[in-house]
Amino acid sequence: MAAAADLKRPLILPSVRDPSALTHTFTDDNSPSQVAITINDQAGYFQPAKQYSSRFATQSNADNDSTRTDENPYAIIGSDGFEASGSSTVDPFKNQTAKIEGVYEWMKMVICIPIALVRLVLFGLCIIIGYIATKFALQGWKDNQNAMPRWRCRVMWITRLCARGILFSFGYHWIIRKGKPAKREAAPIIVANHVSYIDPIYFFYECSPTIVAAESHDSMPFVGTIIRAMQVIYVNRFSYQSRKHAVHEIKRKASGNNFPRLLLFPEGTTTNGRQLISFQLGAFIPGYSIQPVVIKYPHIHFDQSWGHIALAKLMFRMFMQFHNFMEVEYLPVMSPSQHHKESAARFAERTGRAMASALNVVQTYHSFADYALLSKAVKSGQESLSPFMVEMAKIQKLCHLSSSEAVEFLEIFLAMNPDSSGCVNNEDFVRVLRLKPSSLSNKIFGFIDGEKYGIITFKEFLVGSAHVLKLPSFQRACEVAFTESDEDKDGYISKLEFGRSASPAIPNINMSEIHALFNLFDIDDDGKISKDDFLTCLRRNPLLIAHFNHHFMHKDLNPSTGTEEIV
């Protein structure tokens, strides 16, 4: 606790006798010869504390304001710049033993070949028997809004025993269990960290819970049938309405004792178990007591986590082990604080700390959205993947950016041909955004290139684009730009009108360059730009709004006052 408190105190640097050792020095005789620095953990970067002389502060602020006005091409629509802290180098999704390496591993695989064949037969038999039992339990049952009748649940015990046989076939001959599952009345919801596809198989055998799963799982052979028997709650995590419906179903089924307990993996995806990533709030919004469960897969030679490794390869590696270790620990029941009316976010945060402590790991700001970005980067053939993990939970909180918007920005960034370190130079940046090399394009690139290294990272591009997109005046600025560009007020911008509108911002732009930029805005490729085309393009490429800054010179873009001429 003392160490944590020390981190919050200002760090006082000792007096510096040599004025050249500091960029700025104090000239007042009574001014203290020291500088205070505080650490802003929320933003992820350092900020100078406001404990210096007023003369220095005034001069510094004036210089900064002047620089922002001159160099920030988005100041006219209300931007005062942004900060993009460095990306974390931690990869919570990476399987540490994706390749078979070492003499021991190869010798073990040779020895285990006959064992693996027996296991494969056992696995197949369990799948077939469990599938037949499940189909029988589901036969003629259409009322999935109510709990499954008892006799059908008894039939499902056959499938549950088959699940234990599947675990055995994968080498989980025994499973260490610590703690005890709470009664349903005490905690109708279970939350657990998610490391492998083994997790739900274990819980199905242990307590046959109702799970929350992606809609795509329904079409999976065998699996889709079994999870339907578990009265699964499907969710499309990219749809707000689907997520809202899922929360409603969680609350409805948690409130009725006739339903099984609910199982949720609040991380939303599998990790390697070395970190806990940020939680989705679906399990915590209903406000019921929950029982956290932590799962560990101790290993030396074979990492059982389902990271960026093909499912078939992971299953093959499991069959080829003498034994796979698994530990499950049931933690004490946790309830939302009624005295303080604890929010779902606070409840999730408190639960995450308890689970991270039990796992002896840290909880990061990564989320399922990072996994989606990582998968996109893998498919594009990127060599270095860490630059594309941007800790989306923090960005979503600060920038109000959705996962789908982040993926769209990544597609644009990947088109810029990032180098082996995941960075993009000015030339490729200009090429993809159809910008003519000019002072304006340099200002736009410089706005994103916060470190002024001449290259930009995906996180800088993402946060910078989101910053502009989410400015309160952005939507109004887009509408003004369209209205001013549509000279004949026919609801469309012709190529000639577009050229006249864009040319003041870019001196000496030629027709081929105008044509390239026009095609970017002409979404439906009909030879003219409708208002919908125009707004869609700018939402996808918000940095391009700077092309139309000259239209905003005498306009009040405040969305609360409307667009008016400033006299």
Side-chain angles (χ1 to χ4, degrees):
M1 294 298 293
D6 288 341
L7 287 174
K8 296 179 181 178
R9 298 192 189 105
L11 173 64
I12 306 298
L13 301 182
S15 173
V16 180
R17 297 291 182 185
D18 180 12
S20 64
L22 291 175
T23 305
H24 299 282
T25 59
F26 298 99
T27 57
D28 292 349
D29 293 337
N30 296 327
S31 300
S33 271
Q34 56 189 13
V35 177
I37 295 177
T38 57
I39 298 176
N40 183 341
D41 183 60
Q42 177 66 24
Y45 52 90
F46 292 95
Q47 290 182 323
K50 297 179 180 178
Q51 297 183 17
Y52 38 74
S53 69
S54 59
R55 178 186 303 177
F56 172 69
T58 302
Q59 180 62 42
S60 176
N61 289 339
D63 291 344
N64 288 340
D65 288 344
S66 175
T67 301
R68 281 197 299 265
T69 302
D70 293 341
E71 299 299 328
N72 182 354
Y74 306 100
I76 194 170
I77 60 172
S79 168
D80 58 357
F82 72 97
E83 292 281 355
S85 58
S87 297
S88 170
T89 57
V90 172
D91 185 350
F93 310 109
K94 183 179 181 180
N95 183 294
Q96 302 296 317
T97 58
K99 296 181 180 179
I100 304 172
E101 296 177 337
V103 176
Y104 171 78
E105 275 298 294
W106 283 105
M107 289 182 62
K108 181 174 63 176
M109 292 185 68
V110 172
I111 295 171
C112 284
I113 288 176
I115 300 174
L117 293 175
V118 174
R119 287 175 171 173
L120 187 59
V121 171
L122 175 61
F123 172 77
L125 285 174
C126 289
I127 286 286
I128 293 170
I129 295 171
Y131 179 74
I132 293 172
T134 303
K135 291 290 285 186
F136 180 76
L138 291 174
Q139 188 67 34
W141 184 54
K142 303 296 183 182
D143 184 19
N144 56 10
Q145 291 299 308
N146 294 309
M148 179 179 279
R150 284 188 179 277
W151 75 267
R152 295 180 185 272
C153 291
R154 292 191 182 100
V155 174
M156 287 300 297
W157 260 107
I158 299 173
T159 309
R160 291 174 65 178
L161 291 174
C162 288
R164 185 62 187 95
I166 290 171
L167 292 174
F168 191 91
S169 71
F170 280 126
Y172 298 96
H173 308 124
W174 64 86
I175 297 171
I176 298 174
R177 194 178 79 170
K178 301 177 183 178
K180 293 182 179 180
K183 293 182 178 179
R184 192 198 187 284
E185 295 76 18
I189 299 175
I190 300 172
V191 295
N193 62 311
H194 200 7
V195 180
S196 172
Y197 65 90
I198 294 297
D199 307 340
I201 299 175
Y202 166 80
F203 280 111
F204 175 60
Y205 163 70
E206 178 77 2
C207 57
S208 186
T210 292
I211 64 171
V212 178
E215 293 175 343
S216 57
H217 290 172
D218 186 67
S219 59
M220 295 175 65
F222 301 107
V223 174
T225 300
I226 293 173
I227 63 176
R228 280 197 295 275
M230 297 169 69
Q231 296 189 267
V232 62
I233 299 172
Y234 287 119
V235 61
N236 177 356
R237 64 188 101 208
F238 294 109
S239 167
Y240 170 77
Q241 289 300 326
S242 178
R243 296 196 304 270
K244 185 178 178 180
H245 173 72
V247 170
H248 172 76
E249 284 295 292
I250 292 169
K251 190 171 184 177
R252 183 177 74 87
K253 293 186 176 182
S255 64
N257 288 327
N258 292 329
F259 286 99
R261 300 176 73 179
L262 287 103
L263 169 66
L264 289 95
F265 298 106
E267 292 172 293
T269 187
T270 53
T271 70
N272 58 21
R274 289 169 173 78
Q275 292 86 27
L276 201 65
I277 65 174
S278 62
F279 285 176
Q280 307 297 310
L281 301 182
F284 307 95
I285 292 174
Y288 288 96
S289 297
I290 66 170
Q291 182 171 30
V293 181
V294 295
I295 304 172
K296 302 177 185 177
Y297 293 89
H299 68 276
I300 297 175
H301 302 286
F302 170 53
D303 182 357
Q304 300 151 64
S305 66
W306 192 8
H308 279 289
I309 180 172
L311 177 60
K313 183 177 180 180
L314 187 62
M315 292 174 65
F316 171 76
R317 294 288 303 277
M318 284 184 174
F319 282 135
M320 304 301 286
Q321 305 299 311
F322 294 125
H323 175 75
N324 288 310
F325 293 90
M326 180 179 185
E327 296 178 4
V328 181
E329 182 178 0
Y330 290 86
L331 302 182
V333 172
M334 300 183 69
S335 302
S337 174
Q338 298 299 326
H339 178 66
H340 298 290
K341 293 185 178 180
E342 188 175 38
S343 67
R346 291 280 187 183
F347 188 22
E349 193 176 303
R350 187 158 55 88
T351 305
R353 284 198 299 267
M355 293 175 66
S357 177
L359 289 166
N360 195 26
V361 300
V362 298
Q363 187 169 23
T364 71
Y365 284 104
H366 295 92
S367 71
F368 168 77
D370 284 281
Y371 185 79
L373 295 173
L374 196 63
S375 300
K376 179 73 70 173
V378 168
K379 289 179 181 178
S380 71
Q382 294 301 307
E383 298 176 12
S384 178
L385 299 178
S386 58
F388 300 98
M389 288 180 292
V390 296
E391 296 186 295
M392 273 297 296
K394 182 183 291 186
I395 292 177
Q396 286 173 316
K397 182 178 180 180
L398 296 177
C399 302
H400 307 290
L401 192 72
S402 69
S403 301
S404 56
E405 288 174 323
V407 171
E408 288 180 0
F409 283 130
L410 178 59
E411 290 174 349
I412 295 171
F413 187 83
L414 291 174
M416 296 177 186
N417 191 29
D419 60 23
S420 58
S421 64
C423 296
V424 164
N425 59 33
N426 193 357
E427 182 180 348
D428 288 321
F429 177 83
V430 168
R431 172 181 56 80
V432 171
L433 293 184
R434 317 284 176 90
L435 296 170
K436 175 184 173 66
S438 62
S439 61
L440 176 62
S441 67
N442 289 337
K443 287 181 180 180
I444 295 174
F445 186 83
F447 175 79
I448 300 297
D449 181 17
E451 299 296 333
K452 308 307 177 189
Y453 291 150
I455 53 176
I456 59 173
T457 64
F458 171 61
K459 187 169 188 178
E460 288 176 323
F461 178 73
L462 177 66
V463 177
S465 298
H467 166 75
V468 175
L469 178 64
K470 302 302 179 179
L471 286 172
S473 299
F474 178 78
Q475 180 67 23
R476 184 59 58 87
C478 294
E479 293 174 355
V480 169
F482 179 82
T483 300
E484 295 295 318
S485 301
D486 179 19
E487 297 174 356
D488 57 9
K489 309 305 177 188
D490 63 347
Y492 295 93
I493 300 174
S494 66
K495 188 175 296 185
L496 189 61
E497 289 174 328
F498 185 81
R500 283 199 291 262
S501 179
S503 58
I506 311 174
N508 304 319
I509 187 171
N510 58 45
M511 284 305 299
S512 63
E513 291 163 340
I514 290 174
H515 181 73
L517 192 58
F518 179 87
N519 287 341
L520 185 65
F521 278 82
D522 184 14
I523 303 295
D524 54 10
D525 197 27
D526 62 352
K528 55 186 177 181
I529 302 172
S530 66
K531 186 174 183 178
D532 186 58
D533 288 342
F534 193 82
L535 298 181
T536 299
C537 180
L538 287 176
R539 281 194 294 267
R540 291 178 183 172
N541 306 276
L543 300 178
L544 294 180
I545 191 64
H547 267 297
F548 308 96
N549 281 350
H550 54 282
H551 291 309
F552 315 139
M553 295 299 293
H554 303 292
K555 294 288 191 303
D556 178 8
L557 298 177
N558 189 333
S560 63
T561 60
T563 307
E564 298 177 356
E565 295 283 346
I566 299 177
V567 180

